[in-house]
Amino acid sequence: MNTGNARPRPTAPPLAELRRRTSEKWRTYPDDVLPLFVAEMDYPLAPVVAEAMIEQIRTDDLGYAGSAGAAGEAFAGFAHRRWGWTVAPDDVHPTTDVSVVLVEALRVAIEPGDPVIITPPVYPPFFDIVPEAGGRTVEVPLVDLGSSWRLDLGGIRDAFVAGARAIILCHPHNPLGLPHPRTDLEALASLAAAHGAVVISDEIHAPLVHPGVEFVPFLAVNDTAREVGIAAHSASKAFNLAGAKCAFTVVGSNPMRALVDRQPEEVAFRTSILGRAGAAAAFGDGDEWLDEVLATIGESFDLLETLVAQRLPSVTMRRPHASYLAWLDFRATGLGDDPADPILEQGRVALHRGPAFGEQGKGFARLNVACSPEVLTEAIDRIAAVVDVAR
């Protein structure tokens, strides 16, 4: 990094300024609620991304996107720089968002009624994506090892034997911030190949893997993974572009290319050209900004660990290795199966409800740390007051 040209580290604006935003995060609840529920950062956009989107407007270039264009090359470069993964730009196919990548990949990978594996506790829309694509959801929960979690490879094998034709892999796993290790990915690829199944890997949080932590893209694992795998990528979480509506279906083998080729052309044509411009700038020139954001997120987790230890000793958390989301265990607090409910009603802090992530989320809540230290401190103080009353 050229420190002489480095920009100041991104910091969250004051609450009064944030409340002028019109996104779901800032319009769902009244102004007395601190919104730490949805996966949206409070930091300003990367200047290079904002300028690219503004330039798209300056040049009156707001037609249909159609293809990945320069964003495909930008993503390929980013994947090689950050993860050592070689991607052919022609294998990067645009669409609106990662949920659409998953749905449309499933539509061409399974037959109506086929079982599809998900691994709770997991991103809540997964429970809806499978039936939307015509499949039947099969839950194979992660194994809790006490200090971390792992895929239940035995349970996944049994589900494949029983007829599951696909698995949606959350990698890094949301809400746990868990990048799956290479050995598990290799084993999963082998299981899928042995049973004629497809692995659809949601890697939206991959750019937010924390410094010093290895992330192995599923399609970078080996030839077997490429033969059975489709990956979903986007700049939306790492660069705060969810509303810009651009994501990528990425493949790396002829069988998966053939599957994607069966998708309607509208899957690509619905992509926002503004979002594509933002993604191209983010993946092409946003590394320095992203590194600074990751440093800020690391400081937020340092603060959260200190605050939880001091103010919420009955709450436990395992520090994630990716993203800006904390999975908090409130089971010892007496706040019940859905602690986010009393925390919202009594403490005026909005967290993501744990039970939405599956049965394994009962007693948990997810908290977003991509905010200012002042907001995070105030939120924990309010939550602690609610817990103190419950005790």
Side-chain angles (χ1 to χ4, degrees):
M1 180 185 300
N2 184 349
T3 55
N5 295 324
R7 295 181 180 273
R9 181 170 294 176
T11 56
L15 266 175
E17 183 177 335
L18 287 166
R19 293 196 187 281
R20 293 166 53 197
R21 296 183 181 180
T22 60
S23 66
E24 177 190 20
K25 180 172 186 177
W26 296 101
R27 288 293 179 264
T28 299
Y29 298 104
D31 284 355
D32 65 329
V33 173
L34 297 177
L36 302 181
F37 65 112
V38 72
E40 178 183 320
M41 297 189 292
D42 290 352
Y43 314 130
L45 289 179
V48 67
V49 171
E51 180 57 31
M53 297 175 77
I54 292 168
E55 182 63 19
Q56 196 78 23
I57 295 171
R58 286 196 191 105
T59 56
D60 304 314
D61 188 6
L62 295 178
Y64 293 109
S67 68
E73 295 180 4
F75 175 76
F78 183 90
H80 191 266
R81 291 192 306 275
R82 308 292 286 203
W83 311 312
W85 175 25
T86 299
V87 177
D90 287 347
D91 283 333
V92 180
H93 304 272
T95 189
T96 53
D97 57 41
V98 162
S99 291
V100 171
V101 174
L102 306 182
V103 169
E104 297 300 337
L106 278 177
R107 287 193 208 279
V108 294
I110 66 171
E111 297 295 330
D114 278 348
V116 177
I117 301 166
I118 64 173
T119 56
V122 74
Y123 181 54
F126 280 18
F127 294 91
D128 299 319
I129 283 169
V130 174
E132 182 181 348
R136 177 168 57 85
T137 304
V138 175
E139 298 183 26
V140 181
L142 295 180
V143 177
D144 188 342
L145 301 176
S147 59
S148 186
W149 300 266
R150 294 288 288 273
L151 292 171
D152 181 356
L153 293 167
I156 292 169
R157 179 197 61 231
D158 292 345
F160 282 147
V161 169
R165 295 277 67 87
I167 178 172
I168 303 180
L169 180 70
C170 201
H171 175 48
H173 196 95
N174 174 10
L176 308 178
L178 170 70
H180 298 290
R182 179 183 289 273
T183 53
D184 285 6
L185 300 174
E186 290 172 343
L188 177 60
S190 296
L191 286 171
H195 296 283
V198 174
V199 178
I200 303 171
S201 186
D202 174 356
E203 300 180 359
I204 193 171
H205 291 277
L208 290 165
V209 169
H210 298 171
V213 175
E214 182 184 32
F215 172 75
V216 182
F218 184 74
L219 298 186
V221 168
N222 54 28
D223 288 340
T224 302
R226 286 183 283 277
E227 289 291 311
V228 302
I230 296 173
H233 280 269
S234 177
S236 63
K237 295 304 180 192
F239 291 89
N240 228 35
L241 296 173
K245 292 300 176 185
C246 179
F248 302 119
T249 301
V250 186
V251 293
S253 69
N254 285 332
M256 296 300 104
R257 293 181 187 110
L259 276 185
V260 172
D261 284 346
R262 289 170 49 198
Q263 294 178 345
E265 67 177 11
E266 284 299 315
V267 173
F269 269 86
R270 291 175 182 141
T271 308
S272 164
I273 199 168
L274 275 176
R276 189 183 70 174
F283 287 130
D285 299 300
D287 290 57
E288 182 177 334
W289 182 90
L290 179 59
D291 288 339
E292 293 297 329
V293 164
L294 287 170
T296 299
I297 290 169
E299 292 174 355
S300 288
F301 276 115
D302 291 342
L303 175 60
L304 179 63
E305 286 185 319
T306 298
L307 292 171
V308 168
Q310 292 176 347
R311 298 287 284 116
L312 292 168
S314 59
V315 173
T316 59
M317 64 168 281
R318 303 171 195 172
R319 184 160 178 153
H321 296 298
S323 199
Y324 44 80
L325 306 171
W327 188 235
L328 301 178
D329 184 350
F330 287 90
R331 288 177 294 180
T333 65
L335 292 183
D337 286 345
D338 190 2
D341 185 47
I343 287 170
L344 174 61
E345 293 303 315
Q346 301 168 35
R348 311 308 285 163
V349 178
L351 305 180
H352 203 310
R353 300 176 183 276
F357 295 81
E359 184 76 16
Q360 297 74 19
K362 287 183 175 179
F364 289 80
R366 195 189 74 179
L367 180 148
N368 181 344
V369 304
C371 58
S372 70
E374 294 78 14
V375 167
L376 184 57
T377 300
E378 173 67 18
I380 296 303
D381 283 344
R382 294 188 189 188
I383 294 169
V386 176
V387 171
D388 288 344
V389 169
R391 294 167 60 188

